[in-house]
Amino acid sequence: AIELIQIPVHDTCATPIPISGLGLFPFDNLGAGTSGFDGGSAMCWAGLGGPPYSDVFFTWVAPATGSYDFAPCSNVEGTHEVVAHLGTDCSATCVDASSGDTCYQYATDNVARVNATAGAAYLIQVGGIYWSNETDVGVLEITPAPSPPANDDCSAPMALFGTGAYPYDGTGGSDSGFSAGAGSACDLFAMDQDVFFLWTVPNNGDFTIHTNDPANWGTRLAVYAGSDCSATCVALDDNGLNAINGHYHQSLIDLVDLVAGDMYLIQLSSGGPGTFYIEEPVVPPHNTCQTPQVLPGVGNYGFDSVTATTSGFDGGSAGSGLCYGPLALGPVMQDLFYTWTVPCWSDYRIHVSPIARFGTMASKLNLHLGDDCSATCVDADSSAFINHADSSIELSAPLVGTTYLIQLGGWSPGSGGSGTLQIQKLSPNCAQGWIVTAKCTPAQPNQSGNSVALERLTGTAVGSGLFLDASGGPPGAFGFFLVAASEAPPASVGQGLLCLGLPIGRYNGSNASHLGLPQLNSLCQFLPPNGDGLANMGGSSTSGIGFEVPSELPAPYAPGLITSGDTWLFQFWYRDLNGSGLPISNLSDVLEVQFP
């Protein structure tokens, strides 16, 4: 049977449906096209990632002078954008935009707000969030905006001293637009309904600022060095999925080596009330897989395991015995843990020198892929008794950005002692050839329980010379590649995390057709039976597998070419199902590629 989908009559900015007054107004964007209408300024929805998907239009006249909020409310969490334009047709100019869903208290910017005079007419645009590609039945809610708080602007922050818990309420906050200048790290996301605080550092040291409240509002948090609107950006976090006491969708910023008396401007964007915290972090010991010591790069690192306990951690290899059991002859005794991230393209050796306590003692060394207790065993080496006390593992050109958990210790109870952990770079030059760095990894799990990981294949001279593939996806699911010039803090999109900075290009059929460049179409399908590998459906692979990245770049970077020395970041968007079996999108990890 063929299902006919009715195109809504208010599918374009030229044919809006009139609505009036306050309250709830139903919408249904099923069958609507994506107009791309931006009210004369793409910056109006730049912080949302792109224009509304499958958008519909209304006209509305302000009943009285005042401030009004426009918010979407639908059956699916966080799936819609709403944009308010001054005017009644395609000549209307953009005023404000938002994304999210007030029904779920989900996004930091879930209302579009206008300051209107009585009788002023507005064009209201409603559609799916740019990356979700969702259509749905819902209502547009129009309400008077609440009064703004006293600390609604960077010129009037609330003073804070010391550490502790501090309440905030962004319900009535206006959109200040403060970001310390276009192009700064704090300009990556729109900080809507934001409030400001001025914090004085109580003592020298490290501090953490984070949100963590029972209401679980989505938050965005920015910190600036300075005391007023001239402050400069330090850091930004957008719903960083930080697990703080079991809470997610919160924001967290670590500040190191602060000086007593210095002042910092804190900007907090939220859809409602909550609490944020300023704390001095407790430095954990590194003798468990939960609290490893971070190693900054290659070099020699002294250790002392005399007082360390025995964790019994095996990296999931109890059956194979690689890091525990028959091959490893039991657990690593009095073990210590470290994390190390591959800094550049090279071969490496991880080496443990003799553990010196009662003469020369034997050592054990395990290597796991990951950075905590979920890491999986990769390799192991155990020294012979007495005469050969060194343990060593070599890595052949591991992917730049990959993080390993290093576990070291002795053979038997009482074998703890002091020694040196050495990480050596064996290749003379890190800068030659491709520099490929994994970021935003591991990606969020999909319906198959796996996380999709990107990889660079070899054996192509097509286009830019970059050949991309992916593994761990739902077999049969379709997707395409994205490209950006920068990384951004992880942002929840569908069931995944988008880690690319704006603007973002898409290698899809729409872009390829628009630019007349079929090689820009990276449409792929995960291969059965386990989703490892991509079948190319867009004709952009000479082998039919993966995606051979062309030299040409898609919009918004078009016209443009990838050239030697360029660095570009790639991520794969694909279809997925949520826990209820409903269609949703997901994303892979990111590969940052410096082209030779």
Side-chain angles (χ1 to χ4, degrees):
I2 298 176
E3 181 182 1
L4 297 178
I5 298 177
Q6 182 70 38
I7 299 176
V9 296
H10 55 320
D11 185 37
T12 73
C13 54
T15 58
I17 292 178
I19 55 177
S20 62
L22 306 176
L24 302 176
F25 303 91
F27 69 82
D28 183 352
N29 63 333
L30 180 65
T34 300
S35 71
F37 179 70
D38 62 9
S41 173
M43 290 303 296
C44 198
W45 37 248
L48 309 179
Y53 174 84
S54 294
D55 47 343
V56 293
F57 293 84
F58 303 88
T59 55
W60 176 81
V61 177
T65 298
S67 184
Y68 295 88
D69 285 345
F70 300 80
C73 174
S74 67
N75 298 321
V76 183
E77 178 178 354
T79 57
H80 285 88
E81 294 181 18
V82 58
V83 188
H85 311 270
L86 181 60
T88 60
D89 54 28
C90 298
S91 65
T93 55
C94 186
V95 176
D96 195 21
S98 75
S99 65
D101 197 317
T102 51
C103 293
Y104 287 85
Q105 302 178 352
Y106 177 73
T108 63
D109 49 342
N110 51 27
V111 298
R113 181 166 295 168
V114 299
N115 296 314
T117 56
Y122 291 86
L123 182 70
I124 310 301
Q125 179 183 16
V126 182
I129 285 181
Y130 182 56
W131 292 110
S132 71
N133 293 356
E134 297 290 349
T135 56
D136 194 18
V137 175
V139 293
L140 170 67
E141 183 177 14
I142 305 177
T143 59
S147 299
N151 59 334
D152 188 42
D153 191 78
C154 57
S155 62
M158 178 184 297
L160 303 177
F161 300 92
T163 58
Y166 302 99
Y168 66 83
D169 191 348
T171 304
S174 62
D175 302 342
S176 73
F178 179 71
S179 68
S184 77
C186 295
D187 192 46
L188 292 176
F189 296 98
M191 298 288 283
D192 296 334
Q193 296 176 256
D194 50 344
V195 289
F196 293 85
F197 302 86
L198 181 59
W199 175 60
T200 301
V201 180
N203 52 266
N204 295 348
D206 300 340
F207 295 86
T208 296
I209 302 177
H210 67 86
T211 59
N212 180 22
D213 53 89
N216 200 31
W217 293 96
T219 57
R220 288 175 179 160
L221 181 67
V223 175
Y224 307 83
S227 59
D228 53 28
C229 299
S230 64
T232 57
C233 177
V234 174
L236 169 115
D237 188 40
D238 171 57
N239 282 2
L241 290 178
N242 300 297
I244 310 167
N245 299 328
H247 291 263
Y248 291 81
H249 292 289
Q250 307 301 307
S251 303
L252 181 148
I253 291 176
D254 289 321
L255 303 171
V256 298
D257 296 330
L258 300 191
V259 177
D262 284 355
M263 304 181 80
Y264 289 86
L265 186 69
I266 300 171
Q267 181 186 23
L268 201 154
S269 173
S270 170
T275 304
F276 75 98
Y277 300 82
I278 302 177
E279 300 172 340
E280 291 187 80
V282 177
V283 179
H286 60 281
N287 63 339
T288 74
C289 55
Q290 295 173 322
T291 57
Q293 179 180 335
V294 179
L295 303 180
V298 297
N300 298 325
Y301 305 98
F303 65 84
D304 190 338
S305 60
V306 171
T307 60
T309 58
T310 299
S311 70
F313 179 72
D314 62 7
S317 72
S320 67
L322 179 58
C323 288
Y324 184 98
L327 301 180
L329 299 179
V332 181
M333 295 291 180
Q334 294 181 249
D335 47 346
L336 302 176
F337 290 85
Y338 304 83
T339 57
W340 173 71
T341 301
V342 180
C344 64
W345 194 263
S346 179
D347 297 330
Y348 293 90
R349 176 184 294 120
I350 301 172
H351 174 262
V352 177
S353 68
I355 296 178
R357 190 180 183 193
F358 304 111
T360 300
M361 304 297 293
S363 60
K364 299 185 76 171
L365 175 66
N366 287 351
L367 185 67
H368 313 275
L369 182 61
D371 61 2
D372 56 23
C373 298
S374 65
T376 55
C377 176
V378 173
D379 202 355
D381 185 48
S382 300
S383 65
F385 290 99
I386 306 301
N387 293 324
H388 173 62
D390 296 2
S391 297
S392 185
I393 293 174
E394 293 194 2
L395 295 170
S396 177
L399 193 65
V400 178
T402 302
T403 299
Y404 292 96
L405 182 69
I406 300 171
Q407 178 186 18
L408 66 87
W411 272 83
S412 59
S415 62
S418 59
T420 301
L421 169 64
Q422 183 181 44
I423 299 179
Q424 299 171 288
K425 180 170 67 69
L426 302 181
S427 302
N429 192 345
C430 278
Q432 293 180 348
W434 297 89
I435 300 178
V436 183
T437 307
K439 294 177 175 287
C440 200
T441 186
Q444 293 291 87
N446 53 53
Q447 58 181 287
S448 66
N450 300 318
S451 297
V452 173
L454 296 188
E455 58 180 322
R456 171 182 170 258
L457 303 179
T458 58
T460 180
V462 175
S464 68
L466 178 63
F467 190 11
L468 294 174
D469 200 8
S471 61
F478 289 90
F480 55 83
F481 283 91
L482 311 174
V483 63
S486 63
E487 185 183 9
S492 296
V493 173
Q495 196 157 276
L497 294 177
L498 178 67
C499 299
L500 301 182
L502 299 177
I504 298 171
R506 298 174 295 165
Y507 294 101
N508 63 6
S510 174
N511 252 328
S513 299
H514 174 69
L515 296 172
L517 299 170
Q519 64 267 32
L520 292 178
N521 185 5
S522 68
L523 180 66
C524 291
Q525 186 178 18
F526 284 105
L527 290 166
N530 53 14
D532 287 339
L534 294 172
N536 188 287
M537 315 298 290
S540 50
S541 170
T542 55
S543 66
I545 299 298
F547 174 48
E548 295 174 1
V549 179
S551 296
E552 298 86 0
L553 287 162
Y557 297 103
L561 296 175
I562 296 175
T563 60
S564 177
D566 283 357
T567 297
W568 293 93
L569 293 90
F570 300 86
Q571 194 167 16
F572 191 71
W573 179 97
Y574 63 96
R575 283 294 185 184
D576 195 11
L577 297 177
N578 65 14
S580 301
L582 298 176
I584 198 170
S585 62
N586 208 328
L587 291 144
S588 69
D589 63 359
V590 170
L591 281 192
E592 180 184 75
V593 180
Q594 180 176 325
F595 290 80

